[in-house]
Amino acid sequence: GAVVSQHPSWVICKSGTSVKIECRSLDFQATTMFWYRQFPKQSLMLMATSNEGSKATYEQGVEKDKFLINHASLTLSTLTVTSAHPEDSSFYICSAYSGSTPQYNEQFFGPGTRLTVL
Amino acid sequence: GENVEQHPSTLSVQEGDSAVIKCTYSDSASNYFPWYKQELGKRPQLIIDIRSNVGEKKDQRIAVTLNKTAKHFSLHITETQPEDSAVYFCAASRTNAGKSTFGDGTTLTVKP
C-alpha cells in the first residue's frame, strides 16, 4: 500500500510558540490530504481538508488562523499550530488519498505526531 | 452532515470467540465504508472495506456486512486472537468526496 510519513513524531514546546507538522506521501501523489486530531481514547476528529494548490477547507469549529494548513505540492502538506497552548496538546494525524480508482476512497494514514504544550 | 454511531464502545471476548461491532450512518449518499484497527499510539490501519454495491465482503477471519436500506454495517471477527486486541473504528464517506466520518471506536479486548 501507499506510504504516508509525518514529521516530527513527537514534539514538546512552550506555550505561545508555533509548531509545524509535515505530512508527506512517499510513493504517490496526493491531491488531497486530511488533518485529524485525536484525544486519548477518542475518535479521529477531522480538522480540515487540504487541497494541493488551493486553500484548505476547515471543519466547523476549527480556527483557521490557529491551525494553518499549506499544501504546497502533491506530496507535502503542513499543519502549523500557531501560538500553541496546553489545550492544543493532542495526537495529530494526517491522511492522504491519491484519487485514483479503485483506491479512490482509501485513506493512507501517517504515523501521527504527539504534540505536548507546556 | 454525516453522523456515524458505533456500538459497543468496549467489547471483551475470550480467545477463539467471535466479535461483532456495529455501525449506523445517516447520509444515504454515503457509499464507502471502511474499518480501521488502531493500536495504542499508532496510526489507523485499514483492515477491510465495503462499497455500497456489495452486501458482504470477507477476508480470512474478518467480514463486513452492509444493509443499505437500514443504513447499518457490521464488522465480524471470527476465531479471535489476543493480537486482535485494539481499537476499531468504522467510517463512512461518499465516493469522490474523500472526507470520512468516523465512529467513536470500539475497544476490543481478547482474553487468552
Side-chain angles (χ1 to χ4, degrees):
Chain A
V3 179
V4 175
S5 70
Q6 264 182 260
H7 179 81
S9 55
W10 59 271
V11 57
I12 301 173
C13 69
K14 291 182 179 180
S15 187
T17 61
S18 294
V19 175
K20 179 184 282 189
I21 302 170
E22 294 185 347
C23 177
R24 294 182 185 271
S25 56
L26 298 186
D27 52 0
F28 68 102
Q29 292 184 328
T31 53
T32 301
M33 291 183 173
F34 302 97
W35 285 97
Y36 295 88
R37 183 174 181 177
Q38 187 176 34
F39 291 106
K41 298 187 178 182
Q42 293 191 25
S43 188
L44 288 88
M45 183 194 80
L46 179 66
M47 299 175 66
T49 302
S50 172
N51 299 296
E52 188 270 334
S54 63
K55 290 183 179 180
T57 303
Y58 289 82
E59 295 298 302
Q60 192 172 9
V62 178
E63 300 175 61
K64 58 182 69 176
D65 295 330
K66 172 80 172 172
F67 300 99
L68 300 178
I69 291 171
N70 183 28
H71 196 146
S73 75
L74 286 171
T75 59
L76 173 65
S77 175
T78 60
L79 168 68
T80 301
V81 183
T82 63
S83 187
H85 291 285
E87 56 265 30
D88 298 324
S89 299
S90 190
F91 193 51
Y92 293 87
I93 306 177
C94 70
S95 72
Y97 80 97
S98 66
S100 60
T101 57
Q103 290 80 28
Y104 194 67
N105 291 100
E106 182 175 354
Q107 293 186 60
F108 303 100
F109 286 90
T113 297
R114 174 77 56 195
L115 170 63
T116 301
V117 184
L118 302 176
Chain B
E2 174 68 277
N3 182 47
V4 177
E5 293 190 359
Q6 183 172 345
H7 298 282
S9 56
T10 60
L11 179 60
S12 181
V13 299
Q14 207 67 38
E15 182 177 2
D17 287 350
S18 295
V20 180
I21 302 171
K22 299 182 179 182
C23 287
T24 60
Y25 62 99
S26 61
D27 186 356
S28 57
S30 290
N31 53 13
Y32 176 67
F33 308 93
W35 285 90
Y36 298 93
K37 175 183 180 182
Q38 186 180 29
E39 297 177 351
L40 190 62
K42 297 189 176 180
R43 77 186 83 190
Q45 299 271 15
L46 179 70
I47 55 172
I48 197 167
D49 57 13
I50 192 167
R51 299 180 193 274
S52 60
N53 58 347
V54 176
E56 183 175 356
K57 183 177 178 180
K58 189 173 181 180
D59 182 4
Q60 299 183 350
R61 298 186 297 109
I62 296 173
V64 57
T65 58
L66 171 66
N67 184 326
K68 277 187 64 179
T69 303
K71 295 212 258 312
H72 67 69
F73 56 112
S74 301
L75 176 71
H76 304 254
I77 306 174
T78 58
E79 300 172 30
T80 53
Q81 302 165 3
E83 49 266 38
D84 294 330
S85 297
V87 180
Y88 290 81
F89 292 99
C90 63
S93 69
R94 297 182 181 185
T95 303
N96 300 335
K99 185 169 72 170
S100 294
T101 301
F102 284 79
D104 288 339
T106 296
T107 301
L108 173 65
T109 303
V110 180
K111 294 179 285 186

